[in-house]
């Protein structure tokens, strides 16, 4: 079987990325201008909302920084416009047996240090991720048994059980390929060791990454001389810098900055419907959140319609559960929960709750609106007798405590397709008992059994039905409060050429990104 999946898989994913029916509009493409008049000595600035962590380890979220920066590339790539997996560093692939997938490595590709891309180099990079102490959510020993080189140009990926989505896993940025020289002991050094159109040359820790053109890029002529990716956690600053021209691209614009940007003729606002939901995570492993009645009470106390209309200014819609209404695995029409103060108070009594201590909400500062969201939640919960305090913190600083279960509630958001372009990655990592990103500390045997079955189910309709069952369990157990379904909102200077918005924030700097002379 060559690189083709059932039409229903591609169609379902394409429909998901479009997310029609959410009440959103907008275009994510600013590439209408020709790049023929591009000044190839131009450099640009990209404001990203998060800094890398874990010293560039590929199994960490640092891989997203390397990917959006045009450095890190993968064997396959999910094309958001076509809604399917397409070739990248691999030109083709086939399922040679129920447990084995063979990928043919593209010829003529060199790493930025001049060494050739070979099957052995790919295997070395992927094995590094596979053997990580904290494995990647999309590529780990639970879903991949081994990676081996059959010959100089063929890589075999073996799985413990039949897995129809291996090509999707190889499109995860965590499976990006670095040259052998990038790995020195326990350290990872991506500088000069990627295959992409841009090579990182220097960094200011937690501030910025500077990149130069890769003159030998296999994918065509690179239009920019280089770029600087800045790590700007404050949304208001990202908004201001693209308006003043200090940045050419600003990612994840807060809704509070939309009016100013949309009235500026020098800025184009890009909007794309995104499989991303702002979520109030509750620590199910800690009292009082260990009781489902208490968690249901929190849900009943919140006014999601008012939240979407006020804080999000209509740029988001109330969430009905862990999936957006138009996703092919949502499992029927669902309404967002309505505020019911009386029901919340009864549920609190049923849970035996007493306000012996204020509960804490952590609002991640990378999402500027979360401070206001937290204030709304604080007010709603106070009305039913649940006192709440608010802390604002950077995500990198709080993640260890979240994973360890040392928190009450946290406001964050997850893109359901961020690990792989299928919700199996999200549903496994975030909610199974042994999930590597189970911030909720939720564990349910019935749920785990459904996800295990889904991971081996090739038929997309059947698999989507299993996802719907899993989603109902999460909703019935009130694991979290899914607040609003969001848009991906970026802003670019109008003279930027060849830029296409990626709602999953994997690809920003591309070979065709260009800018005319000032």
């Amino acid at each position: 079987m060559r690189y083709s999946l059932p039409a229903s898989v591609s169609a379902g994913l394409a429909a998901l990325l479009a997310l029609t029916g959410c009440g959103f509009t907008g275009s994510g493409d600013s590439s209408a201008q020709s790049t023929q008049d591009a000044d190839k000595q131009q450099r640009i600035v990209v404001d990203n909302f998060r800094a890398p962590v874990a010293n560039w380890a590929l199994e960490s979220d640092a891989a997203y920084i390397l990917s959006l920066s045009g450095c890190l590339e993968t064997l396959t790539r999910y094309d958001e416009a076509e809604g399917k997996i397409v070739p990248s560093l691999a030109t083709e692939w086939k399922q040679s047996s129920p447990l084995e997938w063979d990928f043919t490595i593209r010829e003529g590709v060199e790493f930025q240090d001049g060494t050739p891309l070979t099957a052995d180099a790919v295997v070395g990079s992927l094995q590094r991720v596979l053997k990580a102490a904290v494995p990647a959510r999309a590529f780990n020993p639970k879903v991949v048994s081994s990676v081996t080189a059959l010959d100089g140009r063929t890589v075999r990926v073996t799985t413990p059980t039949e897995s129809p989505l291996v090509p999707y896993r190889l499109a995860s940025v965590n499976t990006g390929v670095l040259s052998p020289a990038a790995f020195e002991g326990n350290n990872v050094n991506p500088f000069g060791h990627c295959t992409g159109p841009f090579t990182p040359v220097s960094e200011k820790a937690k501030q910025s990454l500077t990149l130069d053109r890769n003159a030998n890029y296999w994918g065509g002529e690179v239009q920019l001389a280089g770029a600087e990716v800045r790590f700007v956690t404050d949304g208001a600053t990202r908004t201001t810098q693209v308006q003043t021209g200090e940045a050419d691209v600003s990612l994840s614009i807060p809704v509070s900055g939309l009016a100013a940007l949309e009235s500026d003729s020098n800025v184009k606002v890009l909007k794309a419907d995104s499989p991303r939901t702002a979520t109030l995570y509750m620590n199910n492993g800690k009292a009082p959140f260990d009781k489902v009645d208490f968690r249901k009470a929190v849900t009943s106390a919140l006014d999601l319609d008012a939240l979407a209309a006020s804080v999000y200014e209509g740029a988001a819609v109330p969430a009905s559960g862990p999936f957006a209404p138009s996703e092919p695995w949502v499992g029927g029409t669902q309404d967002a929960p309505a505020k019911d103060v009386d029901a919340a108070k009864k549920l609190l009594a049923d849970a035996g709750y007493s306000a012996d201590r204020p509960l804490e909400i952590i609002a991640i500062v990378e999402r500027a609106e979360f401070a206001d969201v937290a204030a709304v939640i604080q007010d709603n919960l106070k009305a039913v007798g649940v006192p709440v305090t608010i802390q604002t913190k950077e995500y990198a600083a709080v993640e260890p405590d979240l994973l360890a279960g040392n928190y009450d509630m946290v406001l964050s958001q997850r893109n359901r397709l961020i690990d792989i372009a299928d919700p199996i990655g999200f549903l496994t990592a975030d909610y199974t008992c042994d999930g590597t990103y189970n911030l909720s500390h939720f564990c349910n045997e019935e749920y785990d059994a459904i996800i295990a079955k889904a991971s081996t189910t090739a038929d997309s309709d059947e698999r989507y039905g299993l996802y719907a069952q899993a989603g109902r369990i999460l909703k019935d157990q009130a694991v979290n409060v899914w607040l609003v379904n969001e848009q991906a909102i970026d802003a670019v200077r109008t003279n930027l050429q060849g830029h296409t918005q990626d709602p999953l924030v994997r690809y920003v700097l591309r070979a065709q990104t260009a800018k005319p002379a000032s």
Side-chain angles (χ1 to χ4, degrees):
M1 181 173 67
R2 294 295 174 182
Y3 55 92
S4 61
L5 289 172
S8 54
V9 175
S10 294
L13 290 167
L16 170 63
L17 265 293
L19 279 186
T20 56
C22 285
F24 295 142
T25 59
S27 170
D29 190 1
S30 64
S31 59
Q33 285 179 287
S34 169
T35 59
Q36 292 180 351
D37 60 345
D39 181 350
K40 293 184 173 59
Q41 299 308 308
Q42 289 285 321
R43 305 177 72 89
I44 68 170
V45 172
V46 176
D47 278 0
N48 187 46
F49 54 89
R50 184 174 294 175
V53 296
N55 297 317
W56 301 113
L58 294 183
E59 67 273 11
S60 75
D61 284 350
Y64 291 95
I65 305 295
L66 294 175
S67 178
L68 71 87
S69 300
C71 169
L72 190 66
E73 296 184 310
T74 50
L75 294 189
T76 64
R77 184 173 63 84
Y78 183 74
D79 187 303
E80 62 274 13
E82 296 187 32
K84 66 180 183 180
I85 295 293
V86 297
S88 184
L89 294 181
T91 55
E92 62 180 6
W93 49 91
K94 65 180 180 179
Q95 189 172 12
S96 53
S97 79
L99 303 182
E100 295 170 324
W101 288 79
D102 295 339
F103 293 79
T104 301
I105 304 306
R106 186 179 296 275
E107 295 188 31
V109 178
E110 289 186 351
F111 290 104
Q112 293 161 354
D113 57 17
T115 58
L117 176 72
T118 64
D120 284 337
V122 172
V123 168
S125 194
L126 293 180
Q127 284 184 339
R128 180 84 175 212
V129 175
L130 201 58
K131 295 176 181 178
V134 180
R137 296 185 286 267
F139 199 81
N140 59 69
K142 291 183 179 180
V143 294
V144 174
S145 302
S146 65
V147 183
T148 56
L150 297 186
D151 56 43
R153 308 226 64 79
T154 308
V155 171
R156 171 165 289 177
V157 177
T158 304
T159 58
T161 57
E162 185 169 4
S163 178
L165 295 176
V166 168
Y168 283 81
R169 296 190 181 280
L170 270 298
S172 164
V173 295
N174 298 117
T175 66
V177 179
L178 295 176
S179 77
F183 305 108
E184 303 170 355
N186 294 324
N187 298 320
V188 178
N189 175 16
F191 289 76
H193 300 315
C194 296
T195 60
F198 294 93
T199 180
V201 293
S202 65
E203 70 171 312
K204 294 180 181 178
K206 296 187 177 183
Q207 296 183 52
S208 64
L209 178 68
T210 300
L211 305 110
D212 287 345
R213 172 194 291 125
N214 177 9
N216 297 315
Y217 181 51
W218 64 270
E221 185 178 11
V222 181
Q223 299 298 307
L224 290 171
E228 180 184 15
V229 176
R230 295 175 181 167
F231 312 130
V232 182
T233 59
D234 182 69
T237 302
R238 293 195 302 276
T239 300
T240 299
Q241 289 192 349
V242 74
Q243 194 166 21
T244 61
E246 294 174 77
D248 298 277
V249 180
S250 282
L251 303 175
S252 190
I253 295 295
V255 293
S256 59
L258 282 180
L261 293 181
E262 289 178 331
S263 64
D264 190 331
S265 61
N266 294 313
V267 177
K268 181 173 182 178
V269 176
L270 308 178
K271 300 178 182 179
D273 298 323
S274 169
R276 182 174 62 197
T277 300
T279 302
L280 177 66
Y281 288 84
M282 297 183 285
N283 186 352
N284 289 207
K286 178 182 181 181
F289 303 96
D290 56 347
K291 293 185 178 180
V292 67
D293 281 343
F294 181 84
R295 300 195 300 268
K296 288 181 177 180
V298 173
T299 300
S300 294
L302 302 188
D303 190 338
L304 302 188
D305 287 314
L307 181 68
S310 60
V311 176
Y312 288 90
E313 301 179 23
V317 294
S320 59
F323 304 131
S326 61
E327 292 177 351
W329 39 77
V330 71
T333 302
Q334 297 183 19
D335 295 324
K339 179 181 179 180
D340 190 332
V341 171
D342 291 338
K345 290 180 177 179
K346 183 179 185 305
L347 286 163
L348 289 173
D350 292 344
Y353 171 73
S354 61
D356 54 356
R357 68 176 179 92
L359 303 178
E360 182 181 85
I361 295 177
I362 300 171
I364 303 302
V365 299
E366 286 88 341
R367 308 292 300 182
E369 67 275 14
F370 279 167
D372 290 335
V373 173
V376 171
I377 294 173
Q378 181 185 49
D379 186 62
N380 285 172
L381 291 179
K382 179 182 178 181
V384 298
V386 179
V388 169
T389 61
I390 299 170
Q391 290 286 333
T392 56
K393 297 181 181 180
E394 290 189 3
Y395 179 79
V398 76
E399 184 182 63
D401 281 338
L402 301 182
L403 291 171
N406 299 324
Y407 81 101
D408 289 328
M409 295 176 283
V410 62
L411 281 166
S412 190
Q413 56 84 20
R414 271 277 278 164
N415 193 314
R416 284 175 289 283
L417 301 187
I418 201 65
D419 298 325
I420 65 171
D422 182 276
I424 191 67
F426 159 77
L427 292 171
T428 301
D430 288 38
Y431 294 111
T432 59
C433 294
D434 295 327
T436 56
Y437 198 69
N438 191 345
L439 302 187
S440 312
H441 299 273
F442 171 74
C443 183
N444 180 285
E445 291 183 1
E446 180 185 2
Y447 175 90
D448 280 17
I450 291 171
I451 297 304
K453 183 177 180 181
S455 68
T456 62
T457 300
D459 181 83
S460 59
D461 289 337
E462 183 180 349
R463 191 169 65 253
Y464 292 174
L466 292 168
Y467 294 158
Q469 291 180 37
R472 282 193 291 271
I473 290 175
L474 297 177
K475 189 172 181 179
D476 290 345
Q477 292 294 308
V479 175
N480 293 317
V481 184
W482 296 278
L483 300 169
V484 296
N485 295 315
E486 298 185 63
Q487 282 183 294
I489 305 175
D490 302 331
V492 301
R493 300 290 293 178
T494 52
N495 63 347
L496 188 69
Q497 303 171 359
H499 176 81
T500 300
Q501 183 187 28
D502 176 14
L504 305 186
V505 201
R506 302 150 304 169
Y507 316 121
V508 177
L509 285 170
R510 312 187 195 210
Q512 63 267 37
T513 307
K515 190 176 180 181
S518 301

